[in-house]
Amino acid sequence: MEPKPKIVLAVLFGGKSSEHEISCLSVAGVLAHLDPIYEPVCVGITKEGVWYLYTGDYAKIPDGSWETDTEHLIPAILSPCPKHHGLLVLDKEAGTYTVRRIDCILPIVHGENCEDGKLQGLLDLSGVPFVGCRTRASAVTMDKITTKLILQNYGIPQASWVMAYARELEFDLSGVVRRVEEKLPYPVFVKPSGAGSSYGVNRARDRAELEEALKAAAQYDQKILIEEAICGKEVETAVIDRDWGGKPDLYVSPCGEIRPDGEFYDFDAKYVKNTSVCQIPAEISEEAKVRVRALAAKIFRLLDCRGLARVDCFVDGDKVVFNEINTIPGFTPISMFPKLFEYAGTPYELLIKYLVHFANKWPDR
């Protein structure tokens, strides 16, 4: 009997994004844990947005040295034509291309141009099944303010907030500060509306810190979210969207608790210091656990998500307040998403296998 052909899995990493480096760290873990049933095809995207089929040593990806491995960089792009169903691998000298057919795409990318619907639009057009949310849900969930506007109509509990535009700071910074102070007490958190991995996020305890935090957030996005500080534990749960024979089904993981080494769970705490503590299961009441998991499932459905997401909440006693949702969560060795599933009995290898399997189940993909 001939061996069953392997599933050709295109793994996207990098991206024209401020979170480029996080993607490179994440994808290294994914590639190291792929089941032998897959034939990985690595597609790296530089910070300038240039696409390459990368055939070199995976060990060069985390530190970014893959981009200098010119011997193993082949220009390639994902074709938007479903007839190709894969990559157009370019031969620049001959002026020709070949088609590399792909069975499924696993995007391990984060941030702008990667997680915000732009890439998902191309993936949709390609006709190749892919892991994760489609265009609309990706665009909505990447924008914190848009997410809040939608969820508040469904009574989802969340922090009080104020919106500002970066352009306002240039001519009316004092007016923005006054607007915030009229609605929210100090301290407040200031965030770029469309950035992830805690880029540009700062805590402001007074007017001077608020002004600086607003300017910092404006470096990452034109829309700025200012939120009241919520007292409570930072609790996260992971969601996988499954389709068993055409019957959608959600699996929500146990709750995990973040204990940041600092005032809040910032970029350094997430990816640099590795000193924050991830407590699984979260040390909260059973009632709170039920509420967190139910809220995560409800938000996932309300925002029309698919594939996977991590939903973050604040918990104070039995009170649960939604914080944010991430539709392509980190897959680094210290990331909460794979850790939650590992605790639930689903190891890294099987988690990836599930994600790829269910990406192929949706009839409209």
Side-chain angles (χ1 to χ4, degrees):
M1 180 180 293
E2 292 186 6
K4 190 175 181 179
K6 291 191 174 186
I7 298 169
V8 181
L9 180 66
V11 183
L12 305 187
F13 69 93
K16 189 178 180 181
S17 166
S18 59
E19 298 177 65
H20 179 100
E21 290 80 7
I22 309 307
S23 168
C24 292
L25 291 174
S26 288
V27 80
V30 171
L31 291 170
H33 291 85
L34 278 184
D35 190 284
I37 67 170
Y38 300 114
E39 179 185 339
V41 175
C42 291
V43 181
I45 306 171
T46 70
K47 285 186 176 180
E48 294 71 40
V50 181
W51 289 51
Y52 290 106
L53 173 61
Y54 178 60
T55 60
D57 187 353
Y58 295 164
K60 294 185 177 182
I61 295 177
D63 65 2
S65 60
W66 69 276
E67 291 189 39
T68 62
D69 188 9
T70 54
E71 183 182 351
H72 297 101
L73 294 179
I74 306 171
I77 57 174
L78 179 66
S79 173
C81 175
K83 186 176 181 180
H84 292 139
H85 209 269
L87 298 173
L88 302 182
V89 183
L90 312 179
D91 185 333
K92 296 176 71 174
E93 292 184 4
T96 60
Y97 68 87
T98 56
V99 176
R100 182 72 165 93
R101 188 172 177 83
I102 302 296
D103 294 317
C104 187
I105 299 172
L106 177 60
I108 305 295
V109 288
H110 311 294
E112 66 274 25
N113 302 307
C114 297
E115 196 178 349
D116 56 4
K118 295 173 185 174
L119 176 64
Q120 286 70 26
L122 173 60
L123 299 180
D124 258 334
L125 290 173
S126 76
V128 182
F130 65 94
V131 175
C133 291
R134 298 187 69 178
T135 306
R136 181 179 58 247
S138 297
V140 166
T141 54
M142 187 65 190
D143 190 304
K144 297 178 179 66
I145 289 173
T146 301
T147 298
K148 282 182 167 291
L149 287 169
I150 292 173
L151 294 181
Q152 73 181 14
N153 288 327
Y154 292 94
I156 301 298
Q158 51 189 307
S160 296
W161 56 281
V162 173
M163 181 179 75
Y165 288 99
R167 62 178 179 271
E168 291 184 85
L169 308 184
E170 300 175 8
F171 62 87
D172 192 19
L173 176 60
S174 60
V176 173
V177 170
R178 185 168 58 252
R179 191 162 78 238
V180 173
E181 291 179 333
E182 287 174 352
K183 184 171 182 181
L184 306 176
Y186 288 108
V188 296
F189 280 93
V190 183
K191 307 175 180 180
S193 186
S197 294
S198 297
Y199 276 106
V201 177
N202 287 284
R203 186 173 185 261
R205 292 163 291 192
D206 53 38
R207 182 173 295 183
E209 289 187 352
L210 175 58
E211 291 179 352
E212 291 304 311
L214 287 167
K215 294 174 184 176
Q219 301 301 310
Y220 292 93
D221 197 7
Q222 286 299 304
K223 286 198 301 186
I224 302 170
L225 173 66
I226 306 98
E227 289 180 311
E228 68 170 328
I230 298 292
C231 293
K233 296 182 176 184
E234 296 185 49
V235 175
E236 301 181 351
T237 192
V239 184
I240 279 187
D241 196 10
R242 307 180 293 189
D243 183 347
W244 298 107
K247 296 181 180 179
D249 173 42
L250 292 185
Y251 174 78
V252 183
S253 78
C255 301
E257 178 185 342
I258 298 294
R259 296 176 181 172
D261 179 30
E263 288 186 328
F264 64 99
Y265 198 37
D266 61 5
F267 178 86
D268 283 348
K270 287 181 178 179
Y271 302 110
V272 179
K273 295 178 183 177
N274 194 17
T275 51
S276 295
V277 175
C278 297
Q279 172 65 42
I280 305 174
E283 294 185 345
I284 56 178
S285 70
E286 292 303 314
E287 176 63 25
K289 290 176 183 177
V290 171
R291 291 184 180 181
V292 167
R293 298 177 75 225
L295 188 66
K298 184 175 182 179
I299 289 169
F300 191 95
R301 284 299 187 218
L302 286 174
L303 297 175
D304 195 26
C305 295
R306 288 189 185 176
L308 73 163
R310 194 195 68 238
V311 180
D312 305 345
C313 298
F314 293 111
V315 177
D316 184 11
D318 289 340
K319 181 182 178 182
V320 177
V321 176
F322 168 70
N323 181 23
E324 62 184 37
I325 184 170
N326 189 318
T327 55
I328 308 184
F331 273 85
T332 71
I334 62 172
S335 295
M336 182 65 95
F337 190 90
K339 281 188 170 185
L340 288 168
F341 277 99
E342 185 176 10
Y343 174 82
T346 303
Y348 206 121
E349 296 90 340
L350 188 54
L351 173 60
I352 297 168
K353 200 171 179 180
Y354 276 157
L355 292 172
V356 174
H357 174 74
F358 290 115
N360 284 274
K361 300 290 283 186
W362 292 103
D364 58 345
R365 285 273 175 95

